[in-house]
Protein backbone atom coordinates (compact mmCIF):
# COMPACT_ATOMS: atom_id res chain seq x y z
CA UNK A 1 0.00 0.00 0.00
CA UNK A 2 1.34 3.41 -0.99
CA UNK A 3 0.65 6.46 1.15
CA UNK A 4 0.29 9.93 -0.39
CA UNK A 5 2.92 12.30 0.95
CA UNK A 6 1.84 15.92 0.70
CA UNK A 7 4.35 18.46 -0.50
CA UNK A 8 4.94 21.58 1.56
CA UNK A 9 2.88 23.90 -0.69
CA UNK A 10 -0.13 21.55 -0.39
CA UNK A 11 -0.29 21.93 3.38
CA UNK A 12 -2.24 25.02 4.51
CA UNK A 13 -0.66 27.27 7.10
CA UNK A 14 -3.23 28.85 9.40
CA UNK A 15 -0.72 31.41 10.64
CA UNK A 16 0.09 32.68 7.13
CA UNK A 17 -0.99 36.27 6.57
CA UNK A 18 -0.65 38.78 3.71
CA UNK A 19 0.03 37.83 0.12
CA UNK A 20 3.49 36.27 0.31
CA UNK A 21 4.06 33.73 -2.43
CA UNK A 22 5.87 30.47 -1.89
CA UNK A 23 6.32 27.71 -4.42
CA UNK A 24 3.61 29.07 -6.75
CA UNK A 25 1.11 29.70 -3.97
CA UNK A 26 0.40 33.42 -3.56
CA UNK A 27 -2.08 33.70 -0.72
CA UNK A 28 -4.74 31.95 1.26
CA UNK A 29 -8.16 33.25 1.96
CA UNK A 30 -11.82 32.42 2.45
CA UNK A 31 -14.29 31.99 -0.39
CA UNK A 32 -17.91 31.41 0.61
CA UNK A 33 -16.78 30.23 4.04
CA UNK A 34 -14.26 27.72 2.68
CA UNK A 35 -10.49 27.75 2.88
CA UNK A 36 -9.02 28.30 -0.60
CA UNK A 37 -5.64 28.82 -2.21
CA UNK A 38 -4.74 31.21 -5.03
CA UNK A 39 -2.35 29.95 -7.69
CA UNK A 40 -0.12 31.91 -10.06
CA UNK A 41 -1.41 30.01 -13.07
CA UNK A 42 -4.62 32.00 -13.12
CA UNK A 43 -6.86 28.98 -12.83
CA UNK A 44 -8.76 30.61 -9.98
CA UNK A 45 -9.29 29.62 -6.42
CA UNK A 46 -9.48 25.92 -5.64
CA UNK A 47 -10.94 24.77 -2.31
CA UNK A 48 -8.90 22.52 -0.08
CA UNK A 49 -10.23 19.08 0.62
CA UNK A 50 -12.57 18.95 3.63
CA UNK A 51 -9.99 16.97 5.63
CA UNK A 52 -7.62 19.91 5.39
CA UNK A 53 -9.94 22.37 7.11
CA UNK A 54 -8.50 23.91 10.25
CA UNK A 55 -11.31 23.91 12.77
CA UNK A 56 -11.49 24.04 16.53
CA UNK A 57 -11.56 20.50 17.95
CA UNK A 58 -14.08 19.41 20.54
CA UNK A 59 -12.88 17.48 23.59
CA UNK A 60 -12.57 13.76 22.88
CA UNK A 61 -14.88 12.85 25.76
CA UNK A 62 -17.69 15.04 24.42
CA UNK A 63 -17.33 13.67 20.90
CA UNK A 64 -17.27 10.04 22.06
CA UNK A 65 -20.29 10.57 24.31
CA UNK A 66 -22.24 12.06 21.40
CA UNK A 67 -21.23 9.18 19.15
CA UNK A 68 -22.31 6.69 21.81
CA UNK A 69 -25.68 8.41 22.20
CA UNK A 70 -26.21 8.31 18.43
CA UNK A 71 -25.33 4.61 18.37
CA UNK A 72 -27.74 3.82 21.21
CA UNK A 73 -30.55 5.85 19.60
CA UNK A 74 -30.28 3.73 16.46
CA UNK A 75 -30.89 0.65 18.60
CA UNK A 76 -33.69 2.26 20.68
CA UNK A 77 -31.48 2.44 23.78
CA UNK A 78 -30.50 5.26 26.10
CA UNK A 79 -27.67 6.07 28.48
CA UNK A 80 -30.34 6.60 31.14
CA UNK A 81 -31.01 2.83 31.04
CA UNK A 82 -27.50 1.92 32.20
CA UNK A 83 -26.67 0.71 35.69
CA UNK A 84 -24.31 3.66 36.12
CA UNK A 85 -27.09 6.15 35.44
CA UNK A 86 -29.67 4.37 37.61
CA UNK A 87 -27.47 3.74 40.65
CA UNK A 88 -25.00 6.64 40.57
CA UNK A 89 -22.08 4.22 40.95
CA UNK A 90 -18.70 5.39 39.69
CA UNK A 91 -16.74 3.02 37.46
CA UNK A 92 -13.01 3.08 36.75
CA UNK A 93 -10.59 1.12 34.63
CA UNK A 94 -8.62 -1.56 36.45
CA UNK A 95 -5.15 -0.13 35.98
CA UNK A 96 -4.63 0.64 32.31
CA UNK A 97 -6.64 -2.39 31.21
CA UNK A 98 -10.03 -2.05 29.59
CA UNK A 99 -11.85 -3.79 32.45
CA UNK A 100 -14.36 -1.42 34.09
CA UNK A 101 -14.89 -2.04 37.79
CA UNK A 102 -17.09 -0.28 40.32
CA UNK A 103 -15.02 2.04 42.51
CA UNK A 104 -16.44 0.16 45.50
CA UNK A 105 -16.26 -3.62 45.67
CA UNK A 106 -17.40 -6.22 48.20
CA UNK A 107 -14.80 -8.39 49.91
CA UNK A 108 -15.43 -11.69 51.69
CA UNK A 109 -12.49 -11.86 54.10
CA UNK A 110 -13.50 -12.92 57.65
CA UNK A 111 -17.21 -12.42 56.93
CA UNK A 112 -18.29 -15.07 54.38
CA UNK A 113 -18.19 -18.51 55.95
CA UNK A 114 -17.09 -17.15 59.31
CA UNK A 115 -18.43 -14.02 60.96
CA UNK A 116 -21.83 -13.96 59.21
CA UNK A 117 -24.43 -16.49 58.12
CA UNK A 118 -25.14 -17.45 54.52
CA UNK A 119 -28.41 -15.51 54.65
CA UNK A 120 -26.66 -12.29 55.68
CA UNK A 121 -24.05 -12.87 52.98
CA UNK A 122 -26.84 -13.05 50.41
CA UNK A 123 -28.35 -9.82 51.72
CA UNK A 124 -24.98 -8.06 51.45
CA UNK A 125 -24.36 -9.20 47.89
CA UNK A 126 -27.88 -8.24 46.86
CA UNK A 127 -27.59 -4.73 48.32
CA UNK A 128 -24.20 -4.28 46.70
CA UNK A 129 -25.34 -5.50 43.28
CA UNK A 130 -28.51 -3.40 43.30
CA UNK A 131 -26.40 -0.33 44.10
CA UNK A 132 -24.16 -0.83 41.08
CA UNK A 133 -21.31 -2.83 42.65
CA UNK A 134 -19.97 -5.31 40.11
CA UNK A 135 -16.73 -6.33 41.85
CA UNK A 136 -16.74 -9.24 44.31
CA UNK A 137 -13.46 -10.45 45.78
CA UNK A 138 -12.60 -13.71 47.53
CA UNK A 139 -9.69 -16.14 47.98
CA UNK A 140 -9.07 -19.87 48.22
CA UNK A 141 -7.88 -19.47 51.81
CA UNK A 142 -10.93 -17.57 53.10
CA UNK A 143 -12.76 -19.87 55.54
CA UNK A 144 -10.92 -22.82 54.01
CA UNK A 145 -12.68 -22.41 50.66
CA UNK A 146 -16.10 -21.91 52.20
CA UNK A 147 -16.20 -18.22 51.15
CA UNK A 148 -15.89 -19.21 47.49
CA UNK A 149 -18.66 -21.79 47.87
CA UNK A 150 -21.04 -19.22 49.40
CA UNK A 151 -20.19 -16.62 46.76
CA UNK A 152 -20.86 -19.08 43.95
CA UNK A 153 -24.12 -20.32 45.48
CA UNK A 154 -25.48 -16.78 45.77
CA UNK A 155 -24.57 -15.89 42.18
CA UNK A 156 -26.27 -19.06 40.95
CA UNK A 157 -29.36 -18.49 43.10
CA UNK A 158 -29.75 -14.86 42.03
CA UNK A 159 -29.35 -15.74 38.33
CA UNK A 160 -27.23 -12.64 37.79
CA UNK A 161 -25.71 -12.33 34.34
CA UNK A 162 -22.11 -13.49 34.51
CA UNK A 163 -21.14 -10.74 32.07
CA UNK A 164 -22.33 -8.10 34.57
CA UNK A 165 -19.99 -9.34 37.32
CA UNK A 166 -16.27 -9.00 38.00
CA UNK A 167 -15.24 -11.94 40.19
CA UNK A 168 -11.73 -12.05 41.61
CA UNK A 169 -9.98 -14.66 43.70
CA UNK A 170 -6.51 -15.09 45.18
CA UNK A 171 -4.12 -18.03 45.26
CA UNK A 172 -1.31 -19.00 47.58
CA UNK A 173 -2.50 -21.05 50.54
CA UNK A 174 -4.70 -23.93 49.40
CA UNK A 175 -4.06 -26.65 51.94
CA UNK A 176 -1.69 -28.30 54.40
CA UNK A 177 0.38 -30.27 51.89
CA UNK A 178 3.65 -28.79 50.69
CA UNK A 179 2.39 -28.74 47.10
CA UNK A 180 -0.91 -27.07 48.03
CA UNK A 181 0.59 -23.69 48.74
CA UNK A 182 2.84 -21.21 46.99
CA UNK A 183 2.87 -20.00 43.41
CA UNK A 184 4.30 -22.98 41.60
CA UNK A 185 2.84 -23.82 38.21
CA UNK A 186 1.32 -26.92 39.79
CA UNK A 187 -0.51 -25.04 42.53
CA UNK A 188 -1.69 -22.13 40.36
CA UNK A 189 -3.31 -24.45 37.81
CA UNK A 190 -4.16 -27.39 40.12
CA UNK A 191 -7.69 -28.67 40.72
CA UNK A 192 -10.55 -30.23 38.84
CA UNK A 193 -12.03 -28.24 36.02
CA UNK A 194 -14.41 -28.98 33.16
CA UNK A 195 -14.22 -27.33 29.76
CA UNK A 196 -17.11 -26.84 27.34
CA UNK A 197 -16.11 -29.95 25.39
CA UNK A 198 -16.25 -32.25 28.47
CA UNK A 199 -18.56 -35.23 28.18
CA UNK A 200 -21.91 -35.21 29.97
CA UNK A 201 -21.17 -38.03 32.39
CA UNK A 202 -17.93 -36.34 33.46
CA UNK A 203 -19.75 -33.03 34.02
CA UNK A 204 -22.36 -34.80 36.16
CA UNK A 205 -19.60 -36.43 38.21
CA UNK A 206 -17.97 -33.04 38.83
CA UNK A 207 -21.30 -31.47 39.85
CA UNK A 208 -21.87 -34.24 42.39
CA UNK A 209 -18.42 -33.62 43.86
CA UNK A 210 -19.20 -29.89 44.03
CA UNK A 211 -22.33 -30.63 46.06
CA UNK A 212 -20.35 -32.95 48.32
CA UNK A 213 -17.67 -30.30 48.94
CA UNK A 214 -20.34 -27.69 49.67
CA UNK A 215 -22.07 -29.98 52.17
CA UNK A 216 -18.90 -31.04 53.97
CA UNK A 217 -17.60 -27.45 54.09
CA UNK A 218 -20.85 -26.09 55.49
CA UNK A 219 -20.87 -28.82 58.16
CA UNK A 220 -17.26 -28.52 59.33
CA UNK A 221 -16.15 -25.01 58.41
CA UNK A 222 -16.92 -23.29 61.70
CA UNK A 223 -15.28 -25.87 63.91
CA UNK A 224 -12.21 -26.77 61.88
CA UNK A 225 -10.84 -24.63 59.07
CA UNK A 226 -7.74 -26.83 58.77
CA UNK A 227 -9.94 -29.87 58.14
CA UNK A 228 -11.88 -28.17 55.37
CA UNK A 229 -8.79 -27.02 53.53
CA UNK A 230 -7.63 -30.62 53.20
CA UNK A 231 -10.89 -31.51 51.47
CA UNK A 232 -10.82 -28.67 48.91
CA UNK A 233 -8.88 -28.99 45.68
CA UNK A 234 -6.39 -26.13 45.62
CA UNK A 235 -5.39 -23.85 42.76
CA UNK A 236 -7.44 -21.86 40.26
CA UNK A 237 -9.31 -24.86 38.88
CA UNK A 238 -10.37 -25.72 42.42
CA UNK A 239 -11.54 -22.14 43.05
CA UNK A 240 -13.55 -22.05 39.83
CA UNK A 241 -15.10 -25.40 40.74
CA UNK A 242 -16.14 -24.23 44.21
CA UNK A 243 -17.76 -21.09 42.77
CA UNK A 244 -19.49 -23.12 40.02
CA UNK A 245 -18.16 -20.72 37.41
CA UNK A 246 -16.38 -21.24 34.11
CA UNK A 247 -13.80 -18.54 34.83
CA UNK A 248 -12.81 -15.67 37.11
CA UNK A 249 -12.15 -12.17 35.84
CA UNK A 250 -8.96 -11.57 37.82
CA UNK A 251 -6.76 -14.09 39.62
CA UNK A 252 -4.33 -12.66 42.15
CA UNK A 253 -1.08 -14.05 43.50
CA UNK A 254 -1.96 -13.56 47.17
CA UNK A 255 1.64 -12.94 48.25
CA UNK A 256 5.10 -13.31 46.71
CA UNK A 257 6.76 -16.73 46.68
CA UNK A 258 10.53 -16.75 47.06
CA UNK A 259 10.65 -20.51 46.36
CA UNK A 260 9.28 -20.15 42.82
CA UNK A 261 11.12 -18.48 39.93
CA UNK A 262 9.34 -15.39 38.62
CA UNK A 263 9.29 -16.78 35.09
CA UNK A 264 7.38 -19.84 36.28
CA UNK A 265 4.78 -17.67 38.01
CA UNK A 266 4.25 -15.42 34.98
CA UNK A 267 4.09 -18.39 32.59
CA UNK A 268 1.50 -20.12 34.80
CA UNK A 269 -0.64 -16.98 34.99
CA UNK A 270 -0.38 -16.55 31.22
CA UNK A 271 -1.44 -20.18 30.78
CA UNK A 272 -4.62 -19.89 32.87
CA UNK A 273 -5.57 -16.76 30.93
CA UNK A 274 -4.94 -18.41 27.56
CA UNK A 275 -6.99 -21.39 28.70
CA UNK A 276 -9.97 -19.15 29.53
CA UNK A 277 -9.89 -19.73 33.28
CA UNK A 278 -9.15 -16.05 33.95
CA UNK A 279 -9.24 -12.77 32.03
CA UNK A 280 -6.47 -10.92 33.87
CA UNK A 281 -4.01 -11.53 36.66
CA UNK A 282 -2.67 -9.37 39.43
CA UNK A 283 -0.62 -9.35 42.59
CA UNK A 284 -1.33 -8.85 46.27
CA UNK A 285 1.12 -7.76 48.98
CA UNK A 286 3.93 -7.64 46.42
CA UNK A 287 6.66 -5.00 46.54
CA UNK A 288 7.10 -2.57 43.68
CA UNK A 289 10.37 -4.30 42.77
CA UNK A 290 8.67 -7.72 42.55
CA UNK A 291 5.87 -6.33 40.38
CA UNK A 292 8.42 -4.70 38.09
CA UNK A 293 10.30 -8.00 37.82
CA UNK A 294 7.09 -9.79 36.80
CA UNK A 295 6.43 -7.13 34.16
CA UNK A 296 9.98 -7.39 32.81
CA UNK A 297 9.75 -11.19 32.57
CA UNK A 298 6.42 -10.90 30.75
CA UNK A 299 7.84 -8.46 28.21
CA UNK A 300 11.02 -10.52 27.74
CA UNK A 301 9.19 -13.77 26.94
CA UNK A 302 6.05 -12.27 25.30
CA UNK A 303 3.84 -13.25 28.23
CA UNK A 304 0.97 -11.44 29.98
CA UNK A 305 1.96 -8.94 32.71
CA UNK A 306 -0.09 -8.18 35.85
CA UNK A 307 -2.65 -5.37 35.66
CA UNK A 308 -3.30 -4.68 39.34
CA UNK A 309 -1.89 -4.84 42.86
CA UNK A 310 -4.07 -5.41 45.90
CA UNK A 311 -2.76 -3.33 48.78
CA UNK A 312 -3.87 -2.20 52.23
CA UNK A 313 -4.84 1.46 52.18
CA UNK A 314 -6.49 3.64 54.79
CA UNK A 315 -5.92 6.80 56.80
CA UNK A 316 -3.10 5.20 58.79
CA UNK A 317 -1.50 3.17 55.99
CA UNK A 318 -0.47 5.31 52.99
CA UNK A 319 3.13 4.83 51.85
CA UNK A 320 2.74 2.07 49.26
CA UNK A 321 -0.40 3.30 47.50
CA UNK A 322 0.55 6.98 47.44
CA UNK A 323 4.27 6.71 46.63
CA UNK A 324 5.18 3.36 45.08
CA UNK A 325 2.12 2.35 43.06
CA UNK A 326 1.56 5.65 41.18
CA UNK A 327 4.99 5.28 39.61
CA UNK A 328 4.17 1.72 38.54
CA UNK A 329 0.85 2.88 37.09
CA UNK A 330 2.44 5.54 34.90
CA UNK A 331 5.32 3.30 33.81
CA UNK A 332 3.70 -0.10 33.26
CA UNK A 333 -0.04 0.43 33.79
CA UNK A 334 -0.47 -1.49 37.07
CA UNK A 335 -3.47 -0.17 39.01
CA UNK A 336 -4.40 -0.40 42.69
CA UNK A 337 -7.28 -2.32 44.25
CA UNK A 338 -7.21 -1.46 47.94
CA UNK A 339 -8.61 -3.26 50.96
CA UNK A 340 -9.35 -2.51 54.62
CA UNK A 341 -10.37 1.16 54.13
CA UNK A 342 -11.57 1.22 57.74
CA UNK A 343 -8.43 -0.49 59.15
CA UNK A 344 -10.32 -3.63 60.25
CA UNK A 345 -12.99 -1.47 61.88
CA UNK A 346 -10.64 0.79 63.86
CA UNK A 347 -11.67 3.89 61.88
CA UNK A 348 -15.36 3.32 62.61
CA UNK A 349 -14.76 4.49 66.18
CA UNK A 350 -16.38 1.42 67.71
CA UNK A 351 -13.21 0.60 69.66
CA UNK A 352 -13.11 3.96 71.38
CA UNK A 353 -14.48 2.58 74.65
CA UNK A 354 -13.12 -0.96 74.51
CA UNK A 355 -13.56 -4.13 72.44
CA UNK A 356 -17.23 -4.98 71.66
CA UNK A 357 -18.07 -8.69 71.97
CA UNK A 358 -19.43 -8.90 68.43
CA UNK A 359 -16.47 -7.14 66.81
CA UNK A 360 -13.67 -8.69 64.76
CA UNK A 361 -11.10 -7.86 67.44
CA UNK A 362 -12.95 -10.06 69.92
CA UNK A 363 -12.41 -13.15 67.76
CA UNK A 364 -9.78 -15.60 68.99
CA UNK A 365 -7.83 -15.55 65.73
CA UNK A 366 -7.62 -11.74 65.78
CA UNK A 367 -5.76 -11.14 69.02
CA UNK A 368 -3.16 -9.21 66.99
CA UNK A 369 -5.86 -6.67 66.17
CA UNK A 370 -6.89 -6.39 69.81
CA UNK A 371 -3.29 -5.76 70.84
CA UNK A 372 -2.94 -3.15 68.14
CA UNK A 373 -6.05 -1.28 69.34
CA UNK A 374 -5.07 -1.16 73.02
CA UNK A 375 -1.47 -0.19 72.29
CA UNK A 376 -0.13 3.35 72.64
CA UNK A 377 -0.28 3.90 68.88
CA UNK A 378 -3.85 2.66 68.94
CA UNK A 379 -4.83 5.26 71.55
CA UNK A 380 -3.19 7.99 69.47
CA UNK A 381 -5.18 6.88 66.44
CA UNK A 382 -8.42 7.08 68.42
CA UNK A 383 -7.58 10.67 69.40
CA UNK A 384 -7.03 11.59 65.75
CA UNK A 385 -10.32 9.95 64.79
CA UNK A 386 -12.14 12.27 67.19
CA UNK A 387 -10.72 15.27 65.32
CA UNK A 388 -11.59 13.72 61.95
CA UNK A 389 -15.13 13.22 63.16
CA UNK A 390 -15.55 17.02 63.27
CA UNK A 391 -14.68 17.19 59.56
CA UNK A 392 -17.21 14.45 58.84
CA UNK A 393 -19.90 16.41 60.66
CA UNK A 394 -19.09 19.52 58.58
CA UNK A 395 -19.48 17.50 55.38
CA UNK A 396 -22.71 15.92 56.59
CA UNK A 397 -21.45 12.35 56.61
CA UNK A 398 -20.26 9.68 59.02
CA UNK A 399 -16.62 8.93 59.85
CA UNK A 400 -16.61 5.63 57.89
CA UNK A 401 -18.03 7.42 54.84
CA UNK A 402 -15.33 10.08 55.12
CA UNK A 403 -12.62 7.40 55.36
CA UNK A 404 -13.87 5.50 52.30
CA UNK A 405 -14.30 8.71 50.27
CA UNK A 406 -10.77 9.71 51.29
CA UNK A 407 -9.48 6.48 49.73
CA UNK A 408 -11.52 7.07 46.57
CA UNK A 409 -10.22 10.60 46.13
CA UNK A 410 -6.94 8.99 45.04
CA UNK A 411 -7.30 8.70 41.26
CA UNK A 412 -4.73 5.90 41.19
CA UNK A 413 -7.13 3.65 43.13
CA UNK A 414 -9.27 1.61 40.75
CA UNK A 415 -11.52 0.17 43.45
CA UNK A 416 -11.86 0.02 47.24
CA UNK A 417 -12.95 -3.32 48.71
CA UNK A 418 -15.47 -3.09 51.54
CA UNK A 419 -15.77 -5.70 54.27
CA UNK A 420 -19.01 -5.47 56.22
CA UNK A 421 -20.85 -7.82 58.55
CA UNK A 422 -24.39 -6.42 58.28
CA UNK A 423 -26.59 -4.60 55.72
CA UNK A 424 -26.60 -1.34 57.68
CA UNK A 425 -22.81 -1.05 57.53
CA UNK A 426 -22.75 -1.77 53.81
CA UNK A 427 -25.45 0.80 53.05
CA UNK A 428 -23.57 3.38 55.11
CA UNK A 429 -20.26 2.67 53.35
CA UNK A 430 -21.85 2.81 49.90
CA UNK A 431 -22.94 6.34 50.78
CA UNK A 432 -19.29 7.39 50.42
CA UNK A 433 -20.03 7.88 46.71
CA UNK A 434 -22.03 11.00 47.61
CA UNK A 435 -19.21 12.29 49.81
CA UNK A 436 -16.57 11.95 47.09
CA UNK A 437 -17.41 15.27 45.32
CA UNK A 438 -16.97 17.04 48.67
CA UNK A 439 -13.36 15.87 49.01
CA UNK A 440 -11.82 19.15 47.90
CA UNK A 441 -8.12 19.95 48.17
CA UNK A 442 -8.89 22.06 51.22
CA UNK A 443 -10.60 19.13 52.99
CA UNK A 444 -7.79 16.73 52.05
CA UNK A 445 -5.18 19.19 53.36
CA UNK A 446 -7.10 19.53 56.61
CA UNK A 447 -7.17 15.73 57.00
CA UNK A 448 -3.44 15.51 56.27
CA UNK A 449 -2.78 18.11 58.95
CA UNK A 450 -4.63 16.04 61.55
CA UNK A 451 -3.05 12.74 60.55
CA UNK A 452 0.48 14.08 60.16
CA UNK A 453 1.55 11.04 58.13
CA UNK A 454 1.49 12.26 54.53
CA UNK A 455 4.26 10.41 52.67
CA UNK A 456 6.56 12.32 50.34
CA UNK A 457 7.17 11.10 46.82
CA UNK A 458 10.15 11.83 44.55
CA UNK A 459 8.08 14.56 42.92
CA UNK A 460 7.66 16.30 46.26
CA UNK A 461 11.41 16.22 46.89
CA UNK A 462 12.17 17.63 43.43
CA UNK A 463 9.77 20.51 43.95
Amino acid sequence: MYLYKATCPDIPNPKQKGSRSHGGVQAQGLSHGRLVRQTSTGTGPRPYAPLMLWTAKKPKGVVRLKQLEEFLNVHSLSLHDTVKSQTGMVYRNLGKSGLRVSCLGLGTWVTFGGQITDEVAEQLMTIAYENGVNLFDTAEVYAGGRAEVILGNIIKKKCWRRSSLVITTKLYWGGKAETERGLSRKHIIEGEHTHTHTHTHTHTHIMKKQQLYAFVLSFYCVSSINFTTSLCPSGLKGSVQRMQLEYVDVVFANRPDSNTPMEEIVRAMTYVINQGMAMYWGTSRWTAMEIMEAYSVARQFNLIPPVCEQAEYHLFQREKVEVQLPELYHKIGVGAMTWSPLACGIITGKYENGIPETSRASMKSYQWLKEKIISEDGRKQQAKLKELNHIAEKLGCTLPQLAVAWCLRNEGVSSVLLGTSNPEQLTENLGAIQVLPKMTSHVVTEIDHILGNRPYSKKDYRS
Side-chain angles (χ1 to χ4, degrees):
M1 181 178 68
Y2 296 95
L3 298 176
Y4 168 70
K5 183 177 180 181
T7 60
C8 291
D10 292 333
I11 301 175
N13 183 2
K15 297 182 180 180
Q16 188 176 9
K17 296 181 180 180
S19 58
R20 292 182 301 170
S21 62
H22 179 73
V25 178
Q26 293 182 342
Q28 296 187 50
L30 292 173
S31 176
H32 302 290
R34 299 188 66 182
L35 187 64
V36 299
R37 58 179 176 177
Q38 301 289 343
T39 63
S40 58
T41 58
T43 56
R46 288 186 299 168
Y48 284 107
L51 291 178
M52 301 300 293
L53 289 176
W54 293 79
T55 57
K57 293 183 179 180
K58 295 181 179 179
K60 286 184 179 181
V62 176
V63 174
R64 289 175 181 172
L65 183 61
K66 186 176 181 181
Q67 291 174 346
L68 179 60
E69 289 177 343
E70 292 174 353
F71 173 80
L72 292 174
N73 289 334
V74 171
H75 298 280
S76 301
L77 298 173
S78 172
L79 287 174
H80 297 292
D81 298 330
T82 62
V83 175
K84 179 179 180 179
S85 177
Q86 293 175 350
T87 63
M89 177 56 67
V90 177
Y91 296 90
R92 298 174 178 175
N93 285 54
L94 185 61
K96 288 189 178 180
S97 74
L99 183 62
R100 298 284 285 177
V101 296
S102 53
C103 68
L104 293 177
L106 183 63
T108 60
W109 179 38
V110 183
T111 52
F112 282 43
Q115 194 176 8
I116 62 176
T117 63
D118 293 5
E119 290 74 21
V120 174
E122 182 179 341
Q123 292 177 20
L124 295 176
M125 286 192 65
T126 302
I127 292 173
Y129 186 78
E130 290 177 350
N131 281 274
V133 173
N134 67 0
L135 176 61
F136 298 91
D137 177 75
T138 186
E140 64 173 352
V141 72
Y142 292 171
R146 174 66 178 156
E148 291 180 323
V149 173
I150 296 173
L151 182 68
N153 287 340
I154 295 172
I155 293 174
K156 186 175 182 180
K157 179 180 178 181
K158 289 294 184 177
C159 298
W160 290 330
R161 299 187 315 280
R162 180 62 184 90
S163 57
S164 68
L165 301 170
V166 177
I167 306 299
T168 68
T169 192
K170 297 182 285 295
L171 305 176
Y172 186 89
W173 190 276
K176 294 185 296 183
E178 193 70 19
T179 54
E180 291 178 328
R181 59 178 180 268
L183 298 176
S184 67
R185 180 182 175 89
K186 174 180 173 63
H187 177 60
I188 289 176
I189 303 172
E190 195 88 77
E192 301 175 17
H193 183 69
T194 56
H195 297 281
T196 54
H197 61 269
T198 308
H199 297 295
T200 305
H201 70 277
T202 306
H203 180 71
T204 304
H205 175 67
I206 296 296
M207 288 300 294
K208 288 181 178 178
K209 294 191 74 176
Q210 286 179 346
Q211 294 172 0
L212 176 61
Y213 285 131
F215 171 75
V216 174
L217 284 168
S218 62
F219 188 79
Y220 288 103
C221 183
V222 175
S223 59
S224 178
I225 292 180
N226 290 333
F227 180 66
T228 62
T229 53
S230 64
L231 292 175
C232 301
S234 63
L236 183 55
K237 289 181 182 179
S239 292
V240 170
Q241 173 189 328
R242 284 189 290 275
M243 289 186 281
Q244 304 174 61
L245 301 175
E246 294 182 1
Y247 65 92
V248 295
D249 295 280
V250 187
V251 55
F252 287 95
N254 204 6
R255 54 170 295 179
D257 183 9
S258 59
N259 293 322
T260 305
M262 186 62 73
E263 182 182 345
E264 181 177 343
I265 297 172
V266 179
R267 285 191 181 277
M269 289 299 188
T270 300
Y271 174 83
V272 297
I273 292 175
N274 290 337
Q275 292 296 310
M277 289 184 283
M279 299 295 182
Y280 306 87
W281 79 278
T283 58
S284 178
R285 301 171 185 264
W286 284 32
T287 65
M289 187 177 297
E290 289 164 338
I291 297 171
M292 198 67 190
E293 182 185 355
Y295 175 84
S296 300
V297 168
R299 286 292 175 249
Q300 180 181 359
F301 297 105
N302 196 27
L303 303 173
I304 301 174
V307 299
C308 181
E309 158 71 5
Q310 271 199 15
E312 183 179 5
Y313 185 48
H314 50 75
L315 293 168
F316 304 117
Q317 182 78 24
R318 308 176 58 175
E319 177 75 23
K320 183 176 183 179
V321 174
E322 295 186 9
V323 177
Q324 300 175 18
L325 294 187
E327 190 170 356
L328 286 179
Y329 173 78
H330 292 297
K331 286 185 176 179
I332 63 176
V334 172
M337 184 184 296
T338 66
W339 48 275
S340 196
L342 302 179
C344 295
I346 293 176
I347 297 177
T348 61
K350 62 183 177 184
Y351 296 118
E352 181 181 354
N353 299 317
I355 310 296
E357 294 182 0
T358 57
S359 66
R360 186 177 300 184
S362 65
M363 299 173 66
K364 187 176 181 180
S365 57
Y366 285 85
Q367 287 301 304
W368 58 269
L369 179 59
K370 181 179 179 179
E371 294 173 0
K372 184 178 180 180
I373 294 170
I374 63 179
S375 66
E376 184 178 351
D377 288 339
R379 290 193 293 270
K380 290 180 180 179
Q381 290 177 353
Q382 292 297 325
K384 292 179 180 180
L385 291 176
K386 289 181 180 179
E387 296 184 55
L388 291 174
N389 201 40
H390 296 311
I391 298 178
E393 292 175 355
K394 291 179 183 178
L395 298 179
C397 65
T398 63
L399 184 57
Q401 289 175 336
L402 176 67
V404 175
W406 179 87
C407 294
L408 290 176
R409 109 280 179 209
N410 188 332
E411 295 180 353
V413 174
S414 298
S415 186
V416 174
L417 297 176
L418 303 174
T420 57
S421 57
N422 61 68
E424 292 74 23
Q425 288 180 359
L426 179 58
T427 303
E428 178 186 1
N429 293 342
L430 289 173
I433 296 292
Q434 281 70 46
V435 184
L436 183 57
K438 302 178 182 178
M439 297 299 295
T440 62
S441 58
H442 175 73
V443 173
V444 173
T445 302
E446 192 175 354
I447 293 174
D448 286 340
H449 179 71
I450 294 173
L451 295 175
N453 62 353
R454 180 175 177 268
Y456 290 93
S457 64
K458 294 180 181 179
K459 182 178 179 182
D460 295 325
Y461 286 121
R462 287 195 299 266
S463 60

